[in-house]
Amino acid sequence: MRLGPKIITVGAFALAALLAWLSATLAAGVIETRSHSAVRTALIEANHEWARVHTDGLQVHVGGEAPNEAARFNALSVSGRVVEASRVIDGTTVRPAAPVAAPAFSVEILRNDEGVQLIGLVPAALDREAMAEEIRALAEGVEVTDFLEAADYPVPPLWVPSLNYALDALARLPRSKISVTAGAVSITAIGNSRDEQRRLETMLSRLSPENVAVSLDISAPRPVITPFTLRFLIDDRGARFDACSADNERGRDRILAAARAAGMEGKGACTLGLGVPTPEWPNAVIMGIEALARLEGGSLTFSDADVALVAAQGTDPALFDDVAGALGSNLPAVFSLNAVLPEPAAEPGDEGPPPPEFTASRAPEGAVELRGRLPNATVHATVESFARARFGVDAVYMAARQEADGLPEDWPVRVLAGLAALSEVDHGRVTVLESSLSLTGTSGNENARAEIARLLAEKLGEEADITLAVTYDERLDPLADLPTPEECIRRIEVILAARKITFAPGSTEVEGESAEVVDEIAEALRACRDVDMQIEIAGHTDSQGREQMNLELSEARALAVLEALGERRVPISRIRSKGYGETQPIADNDTAEGREANRRIEFRLVAAGDAAPDEDAIDDADGTDTAEPEGERTE
């Protein structure tokens, strides 16, 4: 059967179409595969491993999450260079940017004689102008230079108490660098003396707020010791220093080691200071201590370059000559030795008349009694005047008699030196004899014994026979005698009980007699400036007038008192003002007397948590967060 021409033609066209479709499909598949491979390779080489590629015919789809917009744009550009850009379909996204972290707020406060500089980054909510005013008030009007930058981020926790504490410390440190971050304060400062250094360290440690890490590095110049004194004794009470001085740590350690080798118990103490007469001081002192140890008793006194070696009574003369001779020969040339061997004790029955004696006793309450012998009326009057000048006109009871027989020529000098020594203790007794002086007493000064030994060596000479028994009582230390917060408030309550702070009708001005009352309160608060406490100044009114008006008036008056205290150089960073209007009466508002009693200003302690500032506001008086309700402070 023969096929017709039409069928053959149709079949040929169909076959050709099939072959064309197969060829196109095969070509598209090749192009798709090659495009995918080429684009993917190019992206990997361009460090875009994050990009995903798939093809759909001639279209090249690029997807994935780009780390940033620049990476996304670059990936599309790379793809467009490999294949025609119109074939590239963008399916990429950009990774969401991480929220910007709040900056680390910090302030560096530098204070010297030229003024105060503020450097750092602080929250934008901080009233920097108010803080500068507060610093000027705390630091007695010094110039404040503000180099601070501000950032509008939330105030971090502990930022407020840290900054408050730094401002309190700044008021007490004329030469200092204070670094503040949220929860940490670092203080580097210089004190005028060792005593001030100890006082500042104690005070700043007591004031440090809870949960704030405080680092203190307070140094003090070494004291100038004049004369440069050391006194070492060996007697029935053991080996010990009455006074010890050294010019450096190494010399001090060598001296203390020699003292321990001579029988001194414990670590011992030796003051580092300026004024050493020669670098050979430690070597000379060590030689002297070793010599006294060989004698097994007596005293060794250095006063600058003068050295006194006094043997104990009963020391073998031959041993004394050997020891004194060796010490005199070996001491550095600048030192001058005076070696003393006391006379043997009198035999029983040969005592003779009683030796002359002068005693002065000082009672804990301050009364001083003077007894014994003085040579004449002139010395009698001199001693009495000296005692009244030292101890108080009304504190001295004079019971000494005038009798010159048997008194040594230097007796007045010895008596006056004994009184000067007694004035260095809080209570005690000094006994002056012809050849010796002894003092027993109690002091609130840890260095009292060394200072007394230095004073007596200067007045009586290095070879003087001096016995000191001075004990330290922490309860008498002025640093340990700070008033309690309750005592500070009671002082203010006594002032307000005598005279009230009053205002003219409708006025918020502190003037007239009220200004005098605020003066007294300011003095009481300055005396309590080292006491850790939070104070609220509370304003109250009677019930006359509208309640809201009374509230606002009481708030304004309490704030006026706070500002008046600030003008009087009272640190106010730990004081807040608050008005209570007519809500807390203490008397009947139906009587004139009751209304007068209700119109009042009160000072009271508040718990630290109650006085904590609110996170959303900054106090306009001290540059710190406030905790007052709306309308509490009115300008």
Side-chain angles (χ1 to χ4, degrees), residues 32-84:
E32 183 177 353
T33 300
R34 289 182 178 179
S35 297
H36 180 278
S37 177
V39 172
R40 181 59 183 157
T41 300
L43 289 173
I44 291 175
E45 290 177 350
N47 297 319
H48 296 303
E49 291 84 354
W50 55 267
R52 299 192 304 272
V53 179
H54 74 274
T55 54
D56 182 8
L58 296 181
Q59 292 182 332
V60 178
H61 295 264
V62 179
E65 185 178 74
N68 51 59
E69 185 63 34
R72 171 182 171 277
F73 180 79
N74 185 258
L76 295 175
S77 298
V78 169
S79 302
R81 289 195 296 267
V82 175
V83 300
E84 188 177 346

Side-chain angles (χ1 to χ4, degrees), residues 219-280:
S219 58
R222 292 181 180 177
V224 177
I225 302 175
T226 306
F228 214 75
T229 306
L230 181 141
R231 180 173 170 80
F232 186 71
L233 300 91
I234 301 177
D235 55 18
D236 53 0
R237 294 169 54 197
R240 65 192 185 280
F241 283 110
D242 272 350
C244 180
S245 305
D247 65 327
N248 56 60
E249 290 82 355
R250 185 172 181 273
R252 175 197 62 193
D253 294 342
R254 293 179 59 212
I255 290 172
L256 293 176
R260 286 191 290 270
M264 183 184 76
E265 298 180 355
K267 296 175 61 176
C270 199
T271 303
L272 294 177
L274 305 176
V276 66
T278 169
E280 293 291 332

Side-chain angles (χ1 to χ4, degrees), residues 175-369:
R175 297 179 297 278
S176 58
K177 181 182 79 170
I178 305 176
S179 301
V180 184
T181 59
V185 178
S186 176
I187 298 175
T188 303
I190 301 175
N192 293 322
S193 65
R194 296 288 180 179
D195 288 340
E196 184 180 36
Q197 176 192 19
R198 186 170 68 94
R199 180 181 65 81
L200 289 172
E201 289 174 341
T202 302
M203 175 185 61
L204 293 175
S205 296
R206 289 181 177 181
L207 291 177
S208 60
E210 188 178 359
N211 299 324
V212 174
V214 175
S215 172
L216 298 177
D217 181 11
I218 299 178
S219 58
R222 292 181 180 177
V224 177
I225 302 175
T226 306
F228 214 75
T229 306
L230 181 141
R231 180 173 170 80
F232 186 71
L233 300 91
I234 301 177
D235 55 18
D236 53 0
R237 294 169 54 197
R240 65 192 185 280
F241 283 110
D242 272 350
C244 180
S245 305
D247 65 327
N248 56 60
E249 290 82 355
R250 185 172 181 273
R252 175 197 62 193
D253 294 342
R254 293 179 59 212
I255 290 172
L256 293 176
R260 286 191 290 270
M264 183 184 76
E265 298 180 355
K267 296 175 61 176
C270 199
T271 303
L272 294 177
L274 305 176
V276 66
T278 169
E280 293 291 332
W281 174 268
N283 295 331
V285 168
I286 290 170
M287 292 179 192
I289 291 174
E290 291 174 345
L292 189 65
R294 286 186 60 195
L295 295 177
E296 299 182 347
S299 66
L300 171 74
T301 304
F302 280 74
S303 180
D304 286 336
D306 296 323
V307 185
L309 178 68
V310 181
Q313 197 169 57
T315 299
D316 180 14
L319 174 62
F320 176 77
D321 291 341
D322 180 49
V323 171
L327 180 61
S329 300
N330 293 321
L331 279 173
V334 70
F335 290 94
S336 173
L337 175 66
N338 178 23
V340 178
L341 179 63
E343 294 292 332
E347 295 294 330
D350 296 336
E351 291 84 356
E357 180 180 277
F358 178 89
T359 63
S361 59
R362 187 179 190 184
E365 61 274 12
V368 176
E369 294 186 0

